[in-house]
Each structure stands twice: as structure tokens, then as C-alpha cells.
PDB file of all heavy atoms in Angstrom:
ATOM      1  N   SER A   1      -1.965   5.865   4.166  1.00 92.00           N
ATOM      2  CA  SER A   1      -1.623   5.242   5.332  1.00 92.00           C
ATOM      3  C   SER A   1      -2.518   4.050   5.760  1.00 92.00           C
ATOM      4  O   SER A   1      -1.987   3.004   6.256  1.00 92.00           O
ATOM      5  CB  SER A   1      -1.688   6.371   6.571  1.00 92.00           C
ATOM      6  OG  SER A   1      -0.816   7.395   6.267  1.00 92.00           O
ATOM      7  N   LEU A   2      -3.734   4.230   5.482  1.00 92.00           N
ATOM      8  CA  LEU A   2      -4.758   3.249   5.827  1.00 92.00           C
ATOM      9  C   LEU A   2      -4.555   1.984   5.073  1.00 92.00           C
ATOM     10  O   LEU A   2      -4.507   0.820   5.504  1.00 92.00           O
ATOM     11  CB  LEU A   2      -6.218   3.781   5.568  1.00 92.00           C
ATOM     12  CG  LEU A   2      -7.373   3.149   6.128  1.00 92.00           C
ATOM     13  CD1 LEU A   2      -7.337   3.186   7.684  1.00 92.00           C
ATOM     14  CD2 LEU A   2      -8.655   3.718   5.639  1.00 92.00           C
ATOM     15  N   LYS A   3      -4.328   2.206   3.745  1.00 90.00           N
ATOM     16  CA  LYS A   3      -4.105   0.937   2.849  1.00 90.00           C
ATOM     17  C   LYS A   3      -2.789   0.255   3.150  1.00 90.00           C
ATOM     18  O   LYS A   3      -2.757  -0.945   3.232  1.00 90.00           O
ATOM     19  CB  LYS A   3      -4.074   1.308   1.441  1.00 90.00           C
ATOM     20  CG  LYS A   3      -5.531   1.686   0.829  1.00 90.00           C
ATOM     21  CD  LYS A   3      -6.266   0.306   0.773  1.00 90.00           C
ATOM     22  CE  LYS A   3      -7.627   0.567   0.489  1.00 90.00           C
ATOM     23  NZ  LYS A   3      -8.503  -0.657   0.482  1.00 90.00           N
ATOM     24  N   LEU A   4      -1.739   0.932   3.496  1.00 91.00           N
ATOM     25  CA  LEU A   4      -0.417   0.322   3.797  1.00 91.00           C
ATOM     26  C   LEU A   4      -0.550  -0.370   5.199  1.00 91.00           C
ATOM     27  O   LEU A   4       0.008  -1.420   5.290  1.00 91.00           O
ATOM     28  CB  LEU A   4       0.567   1.373   3.888  1.00 91.00           C
ATOM     29  CG  LEU A   4       1.000   1.917   2.456  1.00 91.00           C
ATOM     30  CD1 LEU A   4       2.089   3.063   2.565  1.00 91.00           C
ATOM     31  CD2 LEU A   4       1.407   0.918   1.524  1.00 91.00           C
ATOM     32  N   ALA A   5      -1.443   0.337   6.008  1.00 93.00           N
ATOM     33  CA  ALA A   5      -1.617  -0.428   7.367  1.00 93.00           C
ATOM     34  C   ALA A   5      -2.285  -1.717   7.293  1.00 93.00           C
ATOM     35  O   ALA A   5      -2.022  -2.645   8.005  1.00 93.00           O
ATOM     36  CB  ALA A   5      -2.416   0.558   8.272  1.00 93.00           C
ATOM     37  N   GLU A   6      -3.267  -1.775   6.297  1.00 92.00           N
ATOM     38  CA  GLU A   6      -3.969  -3.016   6.094  1.00 92.00           C
ATOM     39  C   GLU A   6      -2.976  -4.128   5.649  1.00 92.00           C
ATOM     40  O   GLU A   6      -2.984  -5.196   6.243  1.00 92.00           O
ATOM     41  CB  GLU A   6      -4.919  -2.906   4.874  1.00 92.00           C
ATOM     42  CG  GLU A   6      -6.226  -2.206   5.094  1.00 92.00           C
ATOM     43  CD  GLU A   6      -6.953  -2.227   3.818  1.00 92.00           C
ATOM     44  OE1 GLU A   6      -7.272  -3.410   3.188  1.00 92.00           O
ATOM     45  OE2 GLU A   6      -7.251  -1.179   3.300  1.00 92.00           O
ATOM     46  N   LEU A   7      -1.982  -3.885   4.827  1.00 91.00           N
ATOM     47  CA  LEU A   7      -0.987  -4.862   4.472  1.00 91.00           C
ATOM     48  C   LEU A   7      -0.209  -5.290   5.577  1.00 91.00           C
ATOM     49  O   LEU A   7       0.102  -6.483   5.908  1.00 91.00           O
ATOM     50  CB  LEU A   7      -0.061  -4.257   3.477  1.00 91.00           C
ATOM     51  CG  LEU A   7      -0.680  -4.097   2.078  1.00 91.00           C
ATOM     52  CD1 LEU A   7       0.317  -3.247   1.092  1.00 91.00           C
ATOM     53  CD2 LEU A   7      -0.955  -5.348   1.371  1.00 91.00           C
ATOM     54  N   ASN A   8       0.172  -4.438   6.515  1.00 92.00           N
ATOM     55  CA  ASN A   8       0.988  -4.649   7.677  1.00 92.00           C
ATOM     56  C   ASN A   8       0.163  -5.506   8.660  1.00 92.00           C
ATOM     57  O   ASN A   8       0.624  -6.388   9.352  1.00 92.00           O
ATOM     58  CB  ASN A   8       1.555  -3.394   8.366  1.00 92.00           C
ATOM     59  CG  ASN A   8       2.577  -2.669   7.608  1.00 92.00           C
ATOM     60  OD1 ASN A   8       2.883  -3.111   6.517  1.00 92.00           O
ATOM     61  ND2 ASN A   8       3.171  -1.698   8.211  1.00 92.00           N
ATOM     62  N   LEU A   9      -1.083  -5.162   8.852  1.00 92.00           N
ATOM     63  CA  LEU A   9      -2.057  -5.820   9.697  1.00 92.00           C
ATOM     64  C   LEU A   9      -2.239  -7.321   9.220  1.00 92.00           C
ATOM     65  O   LEU A   9      -2.244  -8.259  10.034  1.00 92.00           O
ATOM     66  CB  LEU A   9      -3.343  -5.056   9.905  1.00 92.00           C
ATOM     67  CG  LEU A   9      -4.281  -5.712  10.868  1.00 92.00           C
ATOM     68  CD1 LEU A   9      -3.753  -5.799  12.220  1.00 92.00           C
ATOM     69  CD2 LEU A   9      -5.551  -4.798  11.004  1.00 92.00           C
ATOM     70  N   ILE A  10      -2.323  -7.470   7.946  1.00 91.00           N
ATOM     71  CA  ILE A  10      -2.515  -8.869   7.476  1.00 91.00           C
ATOM     72  C   ILE A  10      -1.153  -9.602   7.745  1.00 91.00           C
ATOM     73  O   ILE A  10      -1.271 -10.854   8.145  1.00 91.00           O
ATOM     74  CB  ILE A  10      -2.762  -8.876   5.894  1.00 91.00           C
ATOM     75  CG1 ILE A  10      -4.256  -8.335   5.629  1.00 91.00           C
ATOM     76  CG2 ILE A  10      -2.622 -10.136   5.295  1.00 91.00           C
ATOM     77  CD1 ILE A  10      -4.507  -8.177   4.145  1.00 91.00           C
ATOM     78  N   LYS A  11      -0.114  -9.018   7.561  1.00 90.00           N
ATOM     79  CA  LYS A  11       1.312  -9.689   7.929  1.00 90.00           C
ATOM     80  C   LYS A  11       1.281 -10.088   9.425  1.00 90.00           C
ATOM     81  O   LYS A  11       1.700 -11.200   9.818  1.00 90.00           O
ATOM     82  CB  LYS A  11       2.347  -8.661   7.481  1.00 90.00           C
ATOM     83  CG  LYS A  11       3.712  -9.301   7.935  1.00 90.00           C
ATOM     84  CD  LYS A  11       4.268 -10.326   6.929  1.00 90.00           C
ATOM     85  CE  LYS A  11       5.608 -10.688   7.183  1.00 90.00           C
ATOM     86  NZ  LYS A  11       6.158 -11.802   6.320  1.00 90.00           N
ATOM     87  N   GLU A  12       0.828  -9.174  10.263  1.00 90.00           N
ATOM     88  CA  GLU A  12       0.895  -9.250  11.703  1.00 90.00           C
ATOM     89  C   GLU A  12      -0.105 -10.387  12.000  1.00 90.00           C
ATOM     90  O   GLU A  12       0.193 -11.271  12.832  1.00 90.00           O
ATOM     91  CB  GLU A  12       0.402  -8.028  12.325  1.00 90.00           C
ATOM     92  CG  GLU A  12       0.923  -7.807  13.700  1.00 90.00           C
ATOM     93  CD  GLU A  12       0.523  -6.586  14.349  1.00 90.00           C
ATOM     94  OE1 GLU A  12      -0.598  -6.338  14.804  1.00 90.00           O
ATOM     95  OE2 GLU A  12       1.325  -5.518  14.204  1.00 90.00           O
ATOM     96  N   GLU A  13      -1.197 -10.525  11.420  1.00 88.00           N
ATOM     97  CA  GLU A  13      -2.289 -11.480  11.817  1.00 88.00           C
ATOM     98  C   GLU A  13      -2.152 -12.834  11.238  1.00 88.00           C
ATOM     99  O   GLU A  13      -2.513 -13.833  11.816  1.00 88.00           O
ATOM    100  CB  GLU A  13      -3.742 -10.943  11.403  1.00 88.00           C
ATOM    101  CG  GLU A  13      -4.183  -9.740  12.163  1.00 88.00           C
ATOM    102  CD  GLU A  13      -4.538 -10.017  13.545  1.00 88.00           C
ATOM    103  OE1 GLU A  13      -5.370 -10.937  13.823  1.00 88.00           O
ATOM    104  OE2 GLU A  13      -4.128  -9.201  14.495  1.00 88.00           O
ATOM    105  N   THR A  14      -1.514 -12.904  10.079  1.00 86.00           N
ATOM    106  CA  THR A  14      -1.564 -14.137   9.299  1.00 86.00           C
ATOM    107  C   THR A  14      -0.035 -14.671   8.989  1.00 86.00           C
ATOM    108  O   THR A  14       0.152 -15.735   8.583  1.00 86.00           O
ATOM    109  CB  THR A  14      -2.228 -14.078   7.975  1.00 86.00           C
ATOM    110  OG1 THR A  14      -1.524 -13.221   7.090  1.00 86.00           O
ATOM    111  CG2 THR A  14      -3.647 -13.608   8.100  1.00 86.00           C
ATOM    112  N   GLY A  15       0.890 -13.709   9.124  1.00 87.00           N
ATOM    113  CA  GLY A  15       2.328 -14.016   8.744  1.00 87.00           C
ATOM    114  C   GLY A  15       2.532 -13.976   7.143  1.00 87.00           C
ATOM    115  O   GLY A  15       3.702 -14.189   6.707  1.00 87.00           O
ATOM    116  N   GLU A  16       1.473 -13.562   6.517  1.00 86.00           N
ATOM    117  CA  GLU A  16       1.615 -13.412   5.054  1.00 86.00           C
ATOM    118  C   GLU A  16       1.917 -12.031   4.546  1.00 86.00           C
ATOM    119  O   GLU A  16       1.400 -11.143   4.998  1.00 86.00           O
ATOM    120  CB  GLU A  16       0.339 -13.977   4.308  1.00 86.00           C
ATOM    121  CG  GLU A  16       0.003 -15.402   4.466  1.00 86.00           C
ATOM    122  CD  GLU A  16       1.102 -16.351   3.750  1.00 86.00           C
ATOM    123  OE1 GLU A  16       1.522 -15.856   2.726  1.00 86.00           O
ATOM    124  OE2 GLU A  16       1.365 -17.363   4.224  1.00 86.00           O
ATOM    125  N   ASP A  17       2.747 -11.924   3.499  1.00 90.00           N
ATOM    126  CA  ASP A  17       2.848 -10.625   2.697  1.00 90.00           C
ATOM    127  C   ASP A  17       1.758 -10.652   1.642  1.00 90.00           C
ATOM    128  O   ASP A  17       1.855 -11.329   0.645  1.00 90.00           O
ATOM    129  CB  ASP A  17       4.181 -10.496   2.059  1.00 90.00           C
ATOM    130  CG  ASP A  17       5.308 -10.364   2.990  1.00 90.00           C
ATOM    131  OD1 ASP A  17       5.207  -9.277   3.903  1.00 90.00           O
ATOM    132  OD2 ASP A  17       6.404 -10.942   3.045  1.00 90.00           O
ATOM    133  N   ALA A  18       0.812  -9.831   1.875  1.00 92.00           N
ATOM    134  CA  ALA A  18      -0.481  -9.872   1.072  1.00 92.00           C
ATOM    135  C   ALA A  18      -0.047  -9.205  -0.367  1.00 92.00           C
ATOM    136  O   ALA A  18       0.872  -8.422  -0.382  1.00 92.00           O
ATOM    137  CB  ALA A  18      -1.551  -9.049   1.568  1.00 92.00           C
ATOM    138  N   ILE A  19      -0.811  -9.538  -1.356  1.00 94.00           N
ATOM    139  CA  ILE A  19      -0.609  -9.014  -2.643  1.00 94.00           C
ATOM    140  C   ILE A  19      -1.423  -7.645  -2.779  1.00 94.00           C
ATOM    141  O   ILE A  19      -2.495  -7.579  -2.235  1.00 94.00           O
ATOM    142  CB  ILE A  19      -1.210  -9.963  -3.742  1.00 94.00           C
ATOM    143  CG1 ILE A  19      -0.402 -11.204  -3.636  1.00 94.00           C
ATOM    144  CG2 ILE A  19      -1.172  -9.439  -5.077  1.00 94.00           C
ATOM    145  CD1 ILE A  19      -1.107 -12.517  -4.126  1.00 94.00           C
ATOM    146  N   LEU A  20      -0.782  -6.593  -3.386  1.00 93.00           N
ATOM    147  CA  LEU A  20      -1.428  -5.248  -3.534  1.00 93.00           C
ATOM    148  C   LEU A  20      -1.889  -5.153  -4.914  1.00 93.00           C
ATOM    149  O   LEU A  20      -0.980  -5.224  -5.771  1.00 93.00           O
ATOM    150  CB  LEU A  20      -0.553  -4.164  -2.953  1.00 93.00           C
ATOM    151  CG  LEU A  20      -1.013  -2.744  -3.067  1.00 93.00           C
ATOM    152  CD1 LEU A  20      -2.409  -2.752  -2.240  1.00 93.00           C
ATOM    153  CD2 LEU A  20      -0.151  -1.805  -2.601  1.00 93.00           C
ATOM    154  N   LEU A  21      -3.078  -4.697  -5.085  1.00 94.00           N
ATOM    155  CA  LEU A  21      -3.614  -4.342  -6.403  1.00 94.00           C
ATOM    156  C   LEU A  21      -3.931  -2.791  -6.485  1.00 94.00           C
ATOM    157  O   LEU A  21      -4.713  -2.380  -5.663  1.00 94.00           O
ATOM    158  CB  LEU A  21      -4.979  -5.006  -6.680  1.00 94.00           C
ATOM    159  CG  LEU A  21      -5.061  -6.599  -6.416  1.00 94.00           C
ATOM    160  CD1 LEU A  21      -6.455  -7.229  -6.590  1.00 94.00           C
ATOM    161  CD2 LEU A  21      -4.151  -7.312  -7.345  1.00 94.00           C
ATOM    162  N   LEU A  22      -2.959  -2.107  -7.279  1.00 91.00           N
ATOM    163  CA  LEU A  22      -3.101  -0.645  -7.339  1.00 91.00           C
ATOM    164  C   LEU A  22      -3.823  -0.300  -8.625  1.00 91.00           C
ATOM    165  O   LEU A  22      -3.178  -0.519  -9.786  1.00 91.00           O
ATOM    166  CB  LEU A  22      -1.777  -0.068  -7.344  1.00 91.00           C
ATOM    167  CG  LEU A  22      -0.928  -0.165  -6.110  1.00 91.00           C
ATOM    168  CD1 LEU A  22       0.552   0.187  -6.275  1.00 91.00           C
ATOM    169  CD2 LEU A  22      -1.510   0.766  -4.961  1.00 91.00           C
ATOM    170  N   ASP A  23      -5.141  -0.041  -8.513  1.00 92.00           N
ATOM    171  CA  ASP A  23      -6.001   0.188  -9.767  1.00 92.00           C
ATOM    172  C   ASP A  23      -6.033   1.703 -10.093  1.00 92.00           C
ATOM    173  O   ASP A  23      -6.890   2.382  -9.476  1.00 92.00           O
ATOM    174  CB  ASP A  23      -7.328  -0.337  -9.481  1.00 92.00           C
ATOM    175  CG  ASP A  23      -8.210  -0.127 -10.753  1.00 92.00           C
ATOM    176  OD1 ASP A  23      -7.751  -0.303 -11.876  1.00 92.00           O
ATOM    177  OD2 ASP A  23      -9.474  -0.186 -10.647  1.00 92.00           O
ATOM    178  N   ASP A  24      -5.208   2.022 -11.064  1.00 87.00           N
ATOM    179  CA  ASP A  24      -5.194   3.435 -11.606  1.00 87.00           C
ATOM    180  C   ASP A  24      -5.025   4.449 -10.405  1.00 87.00           C
ATOM    181  O   ASP A  24      -5.659   5.527 -10.664  1.00 87.00           O
ATOM    182  CB  ASP A  24      -6.473   3.572 -12.358  1.00 87.00           C
ATOM    183  CG  ASP A  24      -6.356   4.702 -13.519  1.00 87.00           C
ATOM    184  OD1 ASP A  24      -5.151   4.955 -13.857  1.00 87.00           O
ATOM    185  OD2 ASP A  24      -7.276   5.260 -13.772  1.00 87.00           O
ATOM    186  N   VAL A  25      -4.222   4.179  -9.442  1.00 85.00           N
ATOM    187  CA  VAL A  25      -4.116   5.074  -8.362  1.00 85.00           C
ATOM    188  C   VAL A  25      -2.851   5.863  -8.445  1.00 85.00           C
ATOM    189  O   VAL A  25      -2.771   6.966  -7.789  1.00 85.00           O
ATOM    190  CB  VAL A  25      -4.191   4.308  -7.051  1.00 85.00           C
ATOM    191  CG1 VAL A  25      -2.974   3.577  -6.672  1.00 85.00           C
ATOM    192  CG2 VAL A  25      -4.759   5.192  -5.934  1.00 85.00           C
ATOM    193  N   MET A  26      -1.731   5.381  -9.204  1.00 81.00           N
ATOM    194  CA  MET A  26      -0.563   6.141  -9.175  1.00 81.00           C
ATOM    195  C   MET A  26      -0.580   7.574  -9.664  1.00 81.00           C
ATOM    196  O   MET A  26       0.009   8.563  -9.237  1.00 81.00           O
ATOM    197  CB  MET A  26       0.539   5.369 -10.122  1.00 81.00           C
ATOM    198  CG  MET A  26       0.792   3.998  -9.455  1.00 81.00           C
ATOM    199  SD  MET A  26       1.612   4.057  -7.897  1.00 81.00           S
ATOM    200  CE  MET A  26       3.348   4.278  -8.377  1.00 81.00           C
ATOM    201  N   SER A  27      -1.372   7.829 -10.718  1.00 78.00           N
ATOM    202  CA  SER A  27      -1.601   9.108 -11.250  1.00 78.00           C
ATOM    203  C   SER A  27      -2.328  10.100 -10.363  1.00 78.00           C
ATOM    204  O   SER A  27      -2.125  11.213 -10.460  1.00 78.00           O
ATOM    205  CB  SER A  27      -2.438   9.166 -12.589  1.00 78.00           C
ATOM    206  OG  SER A  27      -3.748   8.469 -12.397  1.00 78.00           O
ATOM    207  N   GLU A  28      -2.973   9.588  -9.283  1.00 80.00           N
ATOM    208  CA  GLU A  28      -3.672  10.436  -8.317  1.00 80.00           C
ATOM    209  C   GLU A  28      -2.775  10.719  -7.112  1.00 80.00           C
ATOM    210  O   GLU A  28      -3.119  11.625  -6.309  1.00 80.00           O
ATOM    211  CB  GLU A  28      -4.930   9.508  -7.692  1.00 80.00           C
ATOM    212  CG  GLU A  28      -5.935   9.151  -8.686  1.00 80.00           C
ATOM    213  CD  GLU A  28      -6.840  10.212  -9.210  1.00 80.00           C
ATOM    214  OE1 GLU A  28      -6.891  11.127  -8.476  1.00 80.00           O
ATOM    215  OE2 GLU A  28      -7.401   9.968 -10.255  1.00 80.00           O
ATOM    216  N   LEU A  29      -1.601  10.166  -7.074  1.00 80.00           N
ATOM    217  CA  LEU A  29      -0.528  10.414  -6.007  1.00 80.00           C
ATOM    218  C   LEU A  29       0.555  11.332  -6.522  1.00 80.00           C
ATOM    219  O   LEU A  29       0.979  11.075  -7.654  1.00 80.00           O
ATOM    220  CB  LEU A  29      -0.074   9.234  -5.383  1.00 80.00           C
ATOM    221  CG  LEU A  29      -1.067   8.201  -4.756  1.00 80.00           C
ATOM    222  CD1 LEU A  29      -0.419   6.910  -4.302  1.00 80.00           C
ATOM    223  CD2 LEU A  29      -1.801   8.886  -3.558  1.00 80.00           C
ATOM    224  N   ASP A  30       1.036  12.210  -5.790  1.00 79.00           N
ATOM    225  CA  ASP A  30       2.187  13.050  -6.149  1.00 79.00           C
ATOM    226  C   ASP A  30       3.412  12.217  -6.165  1.00 79.00           C
ATOM    227  O   ASP A  30       3.417  11.023  -5.650  1.00 79.00           O
ATOM    228  CB  ASP A  30       2.292  14.342  -5.401  1.00 79.00           C
ATOM    229  CG  ASP A  30       2.508  14.043  -3.852  1.00 79.00           C
ATOM    230  OD1 ASP A  30       3.035  13.034  -3.507  1.00 79.00           O
ATOM    231  OD2 ASP A  30       2.238  14.996  -3.136  1.00 79.00           O
ATOM    232  N   ALA A  31       4.615  12.685  -6.710  1.00 78.00           N
ATOM    233  CA  ALA A  31       5.820  11.864  -6.808  1.00 78.00           C
ATOM    234  C   ALA A  31       6.368  11.371  -5.431  1.00 78.00           C
ATOM    235  O   ALA A  31       6.776  10.242  -5.289  1.00 78.00           O
ATOM    236  CB  ALA A  31       6.837  12.740  -7.443  1.00 78.00           C
ATOM    237  N   LYS A  32       6.154  12.224  -4.422  1.00 79.00           N
ATOM    238  CA  LYS A  32       6.615  11.972  -3.089  1.00 79.00           C
ATOM    239  C   LYS A  32       5.920  10.656  -2.474  1.00 79.00           C
ATOM    240  O   LYS A  32       6.445   9.803  -1.950  1.00 79.00           O
ATOM    241  CB  LYS A  32       6.386  13.126  -2.098  1.00 79.00           C
ATOM    242  CG  LYS A  32       6.820  12.831  -0.655  1.00 79.00           C
ATOM    243  CD  LYS A  32       6.369  14.038   0.162  1.00 79.00           C
ATOM    244  CE  LYS A  32       6.498  13.713   1.744  1.00 79.00           C
ATOM    245  NZ  LYS A  32       5.903  14.794   2.580  1.00 79.00           N
ATOM    246  N   ARG A  33       4.541  10.722  -2.756  1.00 81.00           N
ATOM    247  CA  ARG A  33       3.771   9.593  -2.138  1.00 81.00           C
ATOM    248  C   ARG A  33       3.962   8.299  -3.108  1.00 81.00           C
ATOM    249  O   ARG A  33       3.999   7.211  -2.550  1.00 81.00           O
ATOM    250  CB  ARG A  33       2.227   9.979  -2.147  1.00 81.00           C
ATOM    251  CG  ARG A  33       2.012  10.962  -0.995  1.00 81.00           C
ATOM    252  CD  ARG A  33       0.466  11.558  -1.107  1.00 81.00           C
ATOM    253  NE  ARG A  33       0.203  12.387  -0.050  1.00 81.00           N
ATOM    254  CZ  ARG A  33       0.313  13.733  -0.093  1.00 81.00           C
ATOM    255  NH1 ARG A  33       0.920  14.239  -1.248  1.00 81.00           N
ATOM    256  NH2 ARG A  33       0.105  14.598   0.863  1.00 81.00           N
ATOM    257  N   GLN A  34       4.107   8.449  -4.340  1.00 81.00           N
ATOM    258  CA  GLN A  34       4.408   7.437  -5.264  1.00 81.00           C
ATOM    259  C   GLN A  34       5.669   6.733  -4.849  1.00 81.00           C
ATOM    260  O   GLN A  34       5.747   5.511  -4.696  1.00 81.00           O
ATOM    261  CB  GLN A  34       4.503   7.779  -6.673  1.00 81.00           C
ATOM    262  CG  GLN A  34       3.202   8.157  -7.381  1.00 81.00           C
ATOM    263  CD  GLN A  34       3.466   8.605  -8.830  1.00 81.00           C
ATOM    264  OE1 GLN A  34       4.429   8.146  -9.458  1.00 81.00           O
ATOM    265  NE2 GLN A  34       2.436   9.170  -9.439  1.00 81.00           N
ATOM    266  N   GLU A  35       6.773   7.472  -4.541  1.00 79.00           N
ATOM    267  CA  GLU A  35       8.008   6.981  -4.120  1.00 79.00           C
ATOM    268  C   GLU A  35       7.918   6.186  -2.809  1.00 79.00           C
ATOM    269  O   GLU A  35       8.519   5.117  -2.745  1.00 79.00           O
ATOM    270  CB  GLU A  35       9.052   8.078  -3.992  1.00 79.00           C
ATOM    271  CG  GLU A  35      10.499   7.633  -3.850  1.00 79.00           C
ATOM    272  CD  GLU A  35      11.547   8.741  -3.868  1.00 79.00           C
ATOM    273  OE1 GLU A  35      11.131   9.826  -4.261  1.00 79.00           O
ATOM    274  OE2 GLU A  35      12.670   8.550  -3.336  1.00 79.00           O
ATOM    275  N   PHE A  36       7.242   6.849  -1.764  1.00 82.00           N
ATOM    276  CA  PHE A  36       7.092   6.160  -0.555  1.00 82.00           C
ATOM    277  C   PHE A  36       6.302   4.767  -0.701  1.00 82.00           C
ATOM    278  O   PHE A  36       6.675   3.835  -0.047  1.00 82.00           O
ATOM    279  CB  PHE A  36       6.267   7.025   0.216  1.00 82.00           C
ATOM    280  CG  PHE A  36       6.154   6.527   1.847  1.00 82.00           C
ATOM    281  CD1 PHE A  36       7.133   6.866   2.640  1.00 82.00           C
ATOM    282  CD2 PHE A  36       5.040   5.775   2.149  1.00 82.00           C
ATOM    283  CE1 PHE A  36       6.948   6.476   3.952  1.00 82.00           C
ATOM    284  CE2 PHE A  36       4.875   5.249   3.488  1.00 82.00           C
ATOM    285  CZ  PHE A  36       5.873   5.526   4.367  1.00 82.00           C
ATOM    286  N   LEU A  37       5.357   4.735  -1.538  1.00 83.00           N
ATOM    287  CA  LEU A  37       4.511   3.548  -1.797  1.00 83.00           C
ATOM    288  C   LEU A  37       5.441   2.487  -2.367  1.00 83.00           C
ATOM    289  O   LEU A  37       5.571   1.328  -1.794  1.00 83.00           O
ATOM    290  CB  LEU A  37       3.403   3.907  -2.803  1.00 83.00           C
ATOM    291  CG  LEU A  37       2.414   2.825  -3.014  1.00 83.00           C
ATOM    292  CD1 LEU A  37       1.621   2.542  -1.742  1.00 83.00           C
ATOM    293  CD2 LEU A  37       1.382   3.291  -4.176  1.00 83.00           C
ATOM    294  N   ILE A  38       6.189   2.755  -3.407  1.00 81.00           N
ATOM    295  CA  ILE A  38       7.041   1.792  -4.153  1.00 81.00           C
ATOM    296  C   ILE A  38       8.158   1.268  -3.103  1.00 81.00           C
ATOM    297  O   ILE A  38       8.425   0.059  -3.023  1.00 81.00           O
ATOM    298  CB  ILE A  38       7.716   2.429  -5.337  1.00 81.00           C
ATOM    299  CG1 ILE A  38       6.693   2.698  -6.426  1.00 81.00           C
ATOM    300  CG2 ILE A  38       8.773   1.437  -5.870  1.00 81.00           C
ATOM    301  CD1 ILE A  38       5.944   1.501  -6.958  1.00 81.00           C
TER     302      ILE A  38
END
């Protein structure tokens, strides 16, 4: 939630869709959270 909020906050503050770097994190999330993320 925190990381996705960062992206939204950047959009709110700058008008930009920030680039997200997911470093070996998908395997740490279950299928439900992976799907929500994508």
C-alpha cells in the first residue's frame, strides 16, 4: 500500500506517472497481491 501510494503521490504532486522498478519482489507476494499490483 505504501509503495503504490508513493506512485499516486508523485502523480498528485508532479502530474507525472512515475516509473516503477520491482526488484525481485513478485516472488515475495502471493497471487492476489501480484494481480492487484499489475
